[in-house]
């Protein structure tokens, strides 16, 4: 049985190992450590199978401004499912549970840089993100409003914190 729960300190080693195996490098594991260190974690969930971390998703505080107003937003990154457990719905559970938690915590929007054919099923839209000036562009850069109209406006900007600089 797979359960999805909020991260606890005892899961940290498993989270790092998971990202290393899923991404084939240590950039994402280090990103998680830097976001924790900088106290930017908005929500961090793990999927556990018999106590082992087989999936992880993290949301962190992100500075977003639209037409001069601050939007309380979160970045979705990183996210991974252990290769032998992929395509079994674990990622879907992590995204759905994570979005529900950040919505409950008052976040108005979520931004992701990821697979253009994966995140739209959760409501993420590249068209919505196109208005946001960011270090990224194109179909992989997507946004989702948790409060309808949160990103409405002529132009906006996203500033990623230094924690993202090494990824
Ligand atoms: C992307 C990832 C998190 C998805 O997790 P998952 O548990 O396999 O996803 P689910 O089982 O919930 O969903 C499976 C669906 O996602 C699609 N999918 C899985 N990996 C995908 C990928 N790399 N690109 C596009 N679609 C993908 C599958 O086609 C499947 O779609 P279908 O249901 O229409 O057939 C997982 O494949 C992973 O960890 N990949 C390596 C790390 C990574 O790329 N992380 C995301 C960075 S944005």
């Amino acid at each position: 049985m797979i359960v999805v729960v909020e991260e606890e300190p005892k899961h940290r080693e498993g989270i790092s190992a998971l990202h290393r195996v899923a991404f084939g490098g240590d950039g994402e594991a280090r990103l998680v450590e830097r976001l924790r260190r900088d106290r930017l974690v908005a929500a961090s969930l793990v999927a556990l199978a018999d106590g082992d971390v087989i999936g992880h998703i993290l949301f962190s505080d992100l500075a977003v401004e639209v037409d001069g107003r601050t939007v309380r937003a979160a970045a979705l990154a990183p996210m991974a499912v252990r290769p032998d457990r992929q395509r079994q719905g674990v990622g879907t559970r992590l995204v759905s549970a994570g979005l529900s938690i950040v919505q409950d915590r008052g976040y108005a929007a979520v931004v992701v840089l990821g697979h253009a054919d994966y995140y739209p099923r959760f409501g993420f839209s590249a068209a919505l993100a196109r208005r946001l000036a960011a270090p990224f562009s194109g179909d992989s850069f997507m946004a989702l409003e948790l409060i309808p109209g949160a990103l409405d406006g002529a132009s906006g900007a996203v500033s990623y914190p230094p924690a993202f600089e090494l990824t």
Side-chain angles (χ1 to χ4, degrees), residues 18-19 22-23 56 76 78-83 85-94 112-119 121-122:
L18 163 69
H19 287 299
F23 288 100
H56 176 240
L76 188 177
M79 166 181 176
V81 173
R82 210 170 68 189
R85 297 286 192 153
Q86 289 175 6
R87 305 200 168 206
Q88 295 167 30
V90 177
T92 300
R93 284 182 61 184
L94 285 166
V112 68
L113 181 71
H115 303 298
D117 43 4
Y118 185 66
Y119 292 98
R121 70 189 70 194
F122 305 103

Side-chain angles (χ1 to χ4, degrees), residues 46-123:
V46 286
L48 303 173
D50 297 325
D52 289 339
V53 176
I54 58 151
H56 176 240
I57 190 168
L58 191 142
F59 297 82
S60 60
D61 290 339
L62 186 67
V64 174
E65 216 180 83
V66 176
D67 288 352
R69 71 177 195 276
T70 299
V71 178
R72 189 156 177 235
L76 188 177
M79 166 181 176
V81 173
R82 210 170 68 189
D84 63 310
R85 297 286 192 153
Q86 289 175 6
R87 305 200 168 206
Q88 295 167 30
V90 177
T92 300
R93 284 182 61 184
L94 285 166
V95 176
S96 304
L99 290 176
S100 160
I101 288 178
V102 291
Q103 185 167 36
D104 286 350
R105 291 183 180 163
Y107 289 83
V110 178
V111 170
V112 68
L113 181 71
H115 303 298
D117 43 4
Y118 185 66
Y119 292 98
R121 70 189 70 194
F122 305 103

